[in-house]
Amino acid sequence: MKRIPTILAGIVSTTLIGMTPAHAAEIKIAQATDITSMDPQFANLPGNLTAAKHMFDSLTELDPEGRLQPSLAESWSRVDARTWEFRLRKGVVFQDGSPLTAEDVVYSLARPATLTSSPATLNGFLKDISKAEVPQSGVVRLTTTTSLAVLPNYLAAVPIVSKKVTEGLKPEDFETGRGMVGTGPYKFVRFLRGDRLELVRNDKYWGKKPSFDKATLRIMPNAPARTAALLSGEVDAITAAPAADLPRIQNNQNLTVYKKPTARVTFWVMNQYSDALPEGTDLAGKPLAVNPMKDVRVRLAFSKAIDREAIATRAMEGLGVATQNTIPSAMFGYNPDLKPERPDLEGAKKLMAEAGYPNCFGLSLYARNDNHPTEPIQAQAVGQMLSRLGCKVKVESIPTSVLFTRANKLELGMMLMSAGNDGGDMGVSLEYMFSNPTNNPFRKINIQTYDSPNFWKPLREGLESVDDTKRAELYRQVSKVLHDEAGVLPTTLLVGAWAARKGVRITPRFDERLYAFEASE
């Protein structure tokens, strides 16, 4: 990462601070993802991160296209292979008027490790930091255990909080407003779990002021409910516009549909850890005493049986792109040699026979019913595809909280997951996607279960390399190993769809989010 000149950053900062657009009254957004906690550092979950970003900033950030940008850090540079210095933007204050200090940053980078009940810890982005110190006012020096070229990308995921306000608080304390003091464009007003988050503009914000005085994020995981709310005028914009409703929305002259390829990959996780496959049975219905998923031939057979193009065009109703990669083609590290495979049922049956399962076995597939609206449909489609191998497939759709709870107990044999590649770099995305106790002491369990040294060695080398050409080659090795060992089965990349009423302009993002402060009239 090249150091961003302080003078230039200062000019940008001054320009932004001077921009004060005319303000509109309120924007109401219906989002598909739940907000499980107001604590901005509690969990790396889409709904939580969207909510947090309205009120809290990070040292760096990713713009709507996924490009790394300065935020609370106006510049950064490498002192040596394992040491970085981040210079804080001058004049930034928290919403209570207290100044942002380097000590707040050091505290914020240490805090996620203390949140041991987190279902998706942010500490996966911070575990390589061995020391955080303040060599002088306004400067944070970070030392890592190894050379880490992508550290600035990692830090974009971690909200900075006030040490004075949050020290000693538990995650549940934040729901009433305690600790909700950030440096972001909006301030906390009220949170009603499962319903809404109400915000008001932060007039002390250091950057471009939001166009809307107030913002309300409505929690609406039910797709038809989001559409109905938009059509009735109850909300001004929605995320994850349902594919089935897009024609109706597009034909409404008062509404506008936005589409954008995103960085979210959908993939199947197969339990390769348990000695017996959870809920696995033989064809007579008796529990299996072994785990077929440990056999790479079974995993490869399942991959060959899946028709990725059919999932993208039919199950996702055109809101997907078939893929064999875990990242979009525009992201650093993409492997162009891994084209989406056409289904090969005969090849799949041959592999199953070689593995000793000529007529397959019984298994359960799980998907979330409150994440992307097409995930249950995708699961049903894959269930039908596997049944052509002779598999006796049961498909269940369950809430995210239930799925993660059961996955963390290794109770699921095969589940549909999706991950937003929000780091702008393949290595950043994969390191977090496969975060487990082996590479991250803050993970209690490896829910992906795949943990191959053939995968981890080039990935770690790539993350450490400052040579982009070398890093790209190492990343290609990583994706090939993941494919050849069928560690997980990528199927599609999501095409995001948003909708808004005429007169409200929204900004579609690579990470699928919709921010009130990026909207205008």
Side-chain angles (χ1 to χ4, degrees):
M1 168 59 64
K2 294 182 179 179
R3 185 179 187 275
I4 296 178
T6 304
I7 294 176
L8 177 59
I11 292 173
V12 173
S13 175
T14 302
T15 303
L16 290 175
I17 291 172
M19 295 174 66
T20 308
H23 298 300
E26 182 177 10
I27 183 170
K28 297 177 181 179
I29 297 172
Q31 65 179 50
T33 50
D34 193 12
I35 303 171
T36 65
S37 175
M38 276 292 94
D39 186 334
Q41 295 188 323
F42 180 64
N44 182 31
L45 296 174
N48 294 33
L49 297 179
T50 298
K53 187 64 178 174
H54 282 83
M55 299 168 282
F56 298 85
D57 296 308
S58 47
L59 286 177
T60 61
E61 67 179 3
L62 297 168
D63 70 13
E65 304 304 320
R67 296 175 298 228
L68 190 68
Q69 304 289 344
S71 184
L72 293 180
E74 64 180 4
S75 65
W76 53 90
S77 60
R78 295 187 86 160
V79 177
D80 57 44
R82 297 193 300 113
T83 308
W84 292 80
E85 284 191 351
F86 293 81
R87 296 189 174 274
L88 301 187
R89 192 178 297 276
K90 293 180 174 62
V92 176
V93 297
F94 284 102
Q95 292 153 1
D96 63 356
S98 60
L100 169 73
T101 68
E103 287 76 14
D104 290 307
V105 173
V106 170
Y107 165 80
S108 296
L109 299 183
R111 184 173 177 269
T114 68
L115 304 177
T116 55
S117 61
S118 171
T121 178
L122 285 171
N123 210 70
F125 300 113
L126 304 170
K127 62 182 178 55
D128 295 302
I129 299 174
S130 59
K131 184 189 297 185
E133 53 192 334
V134 181
Q136 64 186 78
S137 178
V139 177
V140 176
R141 179 180 294 161
L142 301 178
T143 303
T144 56
T145 54
T146 61
S147 174
L148 192 61
V150 295
L151 182 63
N153 298 70
Y154 282 162
L155 297 178
V158 184
I160 301 302
V161 299
S162 166
K163 178 179 180 180
K164 178 183 71 174
V165 173
T166 63
E167 199 164 32
L169 295 185
K170 298 178 181 178
E172 53 268 28
D173 295 330
F174 287 74
E175 291 200 18
T176 59
R178 295 181 64 193
M180 298 301 294
V181 178
T183 59
Y186 280 100
K187 297 191 292 185
F188 175 87
V189 175
R190 184 172 66 147
F191 175 56
L192 299 177
R193 179 171 288 278
D195 181 37
R196 70 187 65 198
L197 169 63
E198 296 175 356
L199 306 164
V200 64
R201 189 178 68 243
N202 174 21
D203 291 325
K204 298 174 183 176
Y205 184 52
W206 56 269
K208 180 182 177 181
K209 306 298 187 294
S211 295
F212 294 92
D213 298 323
K214 298 178 181 179
T216 299
L217 305 185
R218 294 289 306 277
I219 301 167
M220 291 188 179
N222 181 274
R226 286 196 305 281
T227 299
L230 180 67
L231 291 171
S232 69
E234 182 183 349
V235 300
D236 302 300
I238 63 174
T239 68
D245 293 337
L246 287 180
R248 182 157 55 126
I249 297 173
Q250 289 170 324
N251 290 332
N252 189 316
Q253 62 181 1
N254 297 315
L255 302 174
T256 301
V257 170
Y258 301 76
K259 290 184 181 180
K260 183 184 184 70
T262 74
R264 177 166 295 276
V265 63
T266 301
F267 59 99
W268 284 95
V269 172
M270 299 157 290
N271 185 324
Q272 302 161 49
Y273 181 83
S274 300
D275 291 331
L277 182 67
E279 301 182 7
T281 67
D282 62 21
L283 297 178
K286 296 180 180 179
L288 285 175
V290 296
N291 185 353
M293 299 300 190
K294 288 178 177 283
D295 192 322
V296 66
R297 293 171 296 187
V298 172
R299 303 196 302 271
L300 287 170
F302 278 22
S303 182
K304 287 180 177 293
I306 294 175
D307 188 339
R308 291 167 171 80
E309 191 63 39
I311 293 172
T313 57
R314 296 179 210 161
M316 299 183 73
E317 300 185 65
L319 292 182
V321 177
T323 189
Q324 213 80 33
N325 274 269
T326 57
I327 59 171
S329 59
M331 185 174 290
F332 186 85
Y334 178 82
N335 188 338
D337 296 330
L338 294 180
K339 306 295 184 184
E341 295 177 349
R342 295 179 61 83
D344 178 7
L345 189 58
E346 292 307 311
K349 287 181 176 179
K350 182 179 178 182
L351 284 170
M352 291 297 286
E354 290 175 1
Y357 303 98
N359 297 305
C360 198
F361 46 85
L363 74 158
S364 294
L365 307 185
Y366 285 88
R368 291 181 281 177
N369 59 14
D370 56 359
N371 196 44
H372 193 269
T374 68
E375 286 188 13
I377 305 170
Q378 293 181 61
Q380 290 287 349
V382 170
Q384 293 174 12
M385 294 168 189
L386 295 183
S387 69
R388 294 170 188 160
L389 292 176
C391 305
K392 293 185 179 298
V393 184
K394 178 182 177 183
V395 180
E396 289 194 42
S397 297
I398 57 179
T400 295
S401 59
V402 177
L403 184 139
F404 274 109
T405 297
R406 295 194 62 189
N408 277 308
K409 296 177 181 178
L410 294 176
E411 293 179 352
L412 307 182
M414 188 167 172
M415 59 184 174
L416 182 63
M417 296 287 286
S418 61
N421 295 295
D422 301 346
D425 177 281
M426 188 186 92
V428 174
S429 300
L430 288 184
E431 224 239 347
Y432 191 86
M433 184 188 298
F434 290 96
S435 180
N436 65 70
T438 301
N439 76 312
N440 182 358
F442 300 94
R443 280 287 190 191
K444 297 181 179 67
I445 201 163
N446 176 12
I447 65 170
Q448 317 295 355
T449 69
Y450 176 68
D451 191 16
S452 169
N454 300 326
F455 169 84
W456 282 110
K457 185 176 184 296
L459 178 57
R460 290 303 306 177
E461 291 176 0
L463 290 166
E464 294 171 9
S465 177
V466 296
D467 182 332
D468 284 353
T469 301
K470 180 181 178 182
R471 191 157 92 253
E473 174 56 33
L474 286 164
Y475 284 172
R476 282 192 290 271
Q477 292 178 32
V478 170
S479 57
K480 187 175 187 307
V481 168
L482 186 61
H483 170 267
D484 292 348
E485 296 185 353
V488 296
L489 306 181
T491 55
T492 58
L493 287 160
L494 176 69
V495 174
W498 300 257
R501 67 171 175 82
K502 288 285 175 63
V504 171
R505 295 192 297 271
I506 61 175
T507 304
R509 293 180 54 88
F510 82 106
D511 53 15
E512 307 160 66
R513 299 174 197 167
L514 178 56
Y515 293 137
F517 56 85
E518 290 182 340
S520 62
E521 281 196 323

